Amino acid sequence: MNEQAQAFLGKAQYGFADLVGIMAVLRGEGGCPWDREQDHHSIRKNFIEETYEAVEAIDREDATLLREELGDVLLQVVFHARMEQEKGVFSIDDVCDGICRKLILRHPHIFGDVKATDSETVLTNWDEIKKREKGMKKQSESLMSVPAVLPALMRSQKLGQRAAKVGFDWQDAQGVLEKLQEELDELRDAVQHGDAAAQKEELGDLLFTASSMARFLKCDAEEALYAADEKFIARFCRMEKAAEAQGKKLAELDAQALDALWNAAKRQGE
């Protein structure tokens, strides 16, 4: 064990500086072979997975798990920053400096003389400051800045929100419902004609329009779909339990029997 590593043993309490130091040891000469081999791309998926696990802890309202998962997310931040520090590009201190400056700049109602008495005004100011920071002069640039790697449904809703800022939107939810029906009719037509390319395109249009409906209903499309997923799992589990009570497996049942079990599971959950 080298002296740098030994310095981190037996502490009563570790802090952020210790995390940064441990990462330096792991990536340094004589450090961990695996940690030294990694680059931004090789651990990219780890960042995504850790973030989703933190979100799951939030959904479970599990504070102990959340503390652990936030640590895993923080590790990813320090890991990526260390790689850049080794190349002489930036350090974790530069990362902290950047986000602090951004928070100060984008909260002029706290660190300046701008007035903002409600959340809507705060968000509007934030968007305008962000566009100035990034030199955006066209609204299309705002759309193109929405990360392509976001979950597609989340990205769709963000695109709709930004387009709506210049008035490109439906007047009300009824207009979206009519558009949904139009897209459904077009999808039905594509299915009837057996046109695979058209089916994919029209399905995408239908889903994109559905994300706009979420915006008009003032709910998050991704969260709504997540809730639907959980509801489907719960009902499916009740279906399987009911089938097992009859001494059967779901795969042994015909469509009519499965439909009956589904309807019973649905009523049970209401």
Side-chain angles (χ1 to χ4, degrees), residues 58-158:
I58 292 171
D59 291 341
R60 291 183 181 182
E61 298 186 353
D62 187 331
T64 301
L65 182 59
L66 179 58
R67 181 180 63 182
E68 177 185 348
E69 299 302 343
L70 287 177
D72 290 342
V73 172
L74 186 57
L75 169 61
Q76 294 301 311
V77 174
V78 171
F79 207 152
H80 285 280
R82 178 64 194 181
M83 293 176 188
E84 291 303 307
Q85 183 173 346
E86 292 165 1
K87 294 185 289 187
V89 180
F90 64 78
S91 70
I92 191 65
D93 287 335
D94 296 318
V95 174
C96 293
D97 178 74
I99 190 60
C100 288
R101 291 179 184 278
K102 180 185 292 185
L103 287 172
I104 292 170
L105 180 63
R106 295 190 187 179
H107 288 82
H109 53 291
I110 301 298
F111 301 101
D113 300 324
V114 173
K115 301 296 182 183
T117 57
D118 55 64
S119 295
E120 186 175 351
T121 304
V122 171
L123 293 176
T124 298
N125 290 342
W126 181 284
D127 286 340
E128 289 303 315
I129 295 169
K130 182 177 180 179
K131 282 192 284 188
R132 289 199 302 269
E133 283 179 350
K134 297 183 179 297
M136 295 180 188
K137 297 180 179 180
K138 298 181 180 180
Q139 195 65 24
S140 57
E141 292 176 315
S142 176
L143 266 63
M144 289 185 287
S145 71
V146 177
V149 295
L150 283 177
L153 192 60
M154 183 185 296
R155 187 181 182 214
S156 296
Q157 188 162 0
K158 284 183 176 293

Side-chain angles (χ1 to χ4, degrees), residues 246-267:
Q246 300 172 13
K248 299 178 181 179
K249 295 182 178 180
L250 292 178
E252 299 171 348
L253 303 176
D254 59 22
Q256 185 175 2
L258 288 171
D259 201 39
L261 284 176
W262 173 262
N263 289 329
K266 184 178 179 180
R267 289 192 298 272

Side-chain angles (χ1 to χ4, degrees), residues 221-269:
E222 196 77 22
E223 291 178 1
L225 183 57
Y226 175 86
D229 290 342
E230 293 300 301
K231 181 170 62 177
F232 177 83
I233 293 171
R235 289 178 179 175
F236 193 89
C237 289
R238 290 197 291 271
M239 282 177 62
E240 188 168 46
K241 186 176 181 179
E244 289 173 348
Q246 300 172 13
K248 299 178 181 179
K249 295 182 178 180
L250 292 178
E252 299 171 348
L253 303 176
D254 59 22
Q256 185 175 2
L258 288 171
D259 201 39
L261 284 176
W262 173 262
N263 289 329
K266 184 178 179 180
R267 289 192 298 272
Q268 187 180 346

Side-chain angles (χ1 to χ4, degrees), residues 27 34-49 76 79-81 83-84 87 149:
R27 292 275 299 178
W34 184 88
D35 288 288
R36 285 169 57 84
E37 290 172 1
Q38 304 313 307
D39 59 28
H40 292 304
H41 299 285
S42 67
I43 62 169
R44 174 183 177 276
K45 62 180 176 56
N46 300 50
F47 211 150
I48 297 171
E49 290 170 3
Q76 294 301 311
F79 207 152
H80 285 280
M83 293 176 188
E84 291 303 307
K87 294 185 289 187
V149 295

